[in-house]
Amino acid sequence: VNHTKEQGFDQLVMEDLGSFAKSFTKNDELNGFKYSRLCRLLNLSNLKNIVSSIASKNNVQVTFIQPAYTSSACKCGCVDKRNRVEQEKFKCVSCGLEAPADAHSSDMIEDRLKVDVLRKALLNETNGVFTPKVMKRSTIKKILQECYDNRQQ
């Protein structure tokens, strides 16, 4: 939030990781430790509320978007988990675009608010405040593919 203000912005856009702590996935790197337990221990399940509270006190609006495909979608329209086989690197299997994974994901998050087609399809707006529409992952994937395919043409 402080960095957002220092950069002269009054809005922060983040993935809505509300269901992040409900994951039952285990990871070999964590020796079978469940993500859900790790999230509870690190209080990550409450991150959305913590950031919103801090932002509100600093007059920064927070917009949450659906997390689906932010790390595996490319601006060429290719949505494929193979685009992000390494944690640090994004490489599109379709167009060959290479970028640092976190920077690419942040661009994809930003697009969901800045690109009119995506904003209208994925977010609800009430009095200038945006909230993610509830939709299936398959619907989000289709919207992303159509939007980026149309932008390429």
Side-chain angles (χ1 to χ4, degrees), residues 15-124:
E15 293 174 310
D16 184 353
L17 299 174
S19 61
F20 188 63
K22 296 177 185 169
S23 171
F24 295 103
T25 306
K26 291 184 179 181
N27 186 314
D28 293 336
E29 293 176 28
L30 301 174
N31 297 320
F33 203 74
K34 291 182 182 177
Y35 278 124
S36 57
R37 184 161 183 215
L38 180 62
C39 290
R40 280 193 307 276
L41 289 172
L42 296 174
N43 202 25
L44 293 178
S45 59
N46 200 28
L47 183 63
K48 178 179 174 180
N49 295 330
I50 293 168
V51 171
S52 293
S53 175
I54 294 168
S56 177
K57 291 174 187 173
N58 287 279
N59 296 319
V60 173
Q61 181 180 340
V62 180
T63 298
F64 293 97
I65 56 100
Q66 302 94 338
Y69 307 111
T70 56
S71 63
S72 62
C74 182
K75 292 189 181 210
C76 74
C78 175
V79 180
D80 193 312
K81 64 182 176 181
R82 295 174 298 161
N83 288 344
R84 177 108 180 245
V85 293
E86 296 177 33
Q87 179 64 29
E88 302 297 320
K89 184 178 171 184
F90 178 91
K91 183 175 182 183
C92 181
V93 296
S94 179
C95 73
L97 173 73
E98 291 187 46
D102 290 340
H104 181 77
S105 293
S106 68
D107 288 344
M108 300 305 290
I109 290 168
E110 181 182 29
D111 273 4
R112 295 193 189 186
L113 185 65
K114 288 179 89 174
V115 175
D116 289 343
V117 173
L118 292 177
R119 184 178 59 249
K120 290 175 184 174
L122 298 173
L123 301 173
N124 291 314

Side-chain angles (χ1 to χ4, degrees), residues 77 141-151:
K141 183 176 183 177
K142 183 179 176 188
I143 291 167
L144 293 171
Q145 289 172 324
E146 288 175 359
C147 173
Y148 291 119
D149 282 345
N150 289 336
R151 289 178 80 190

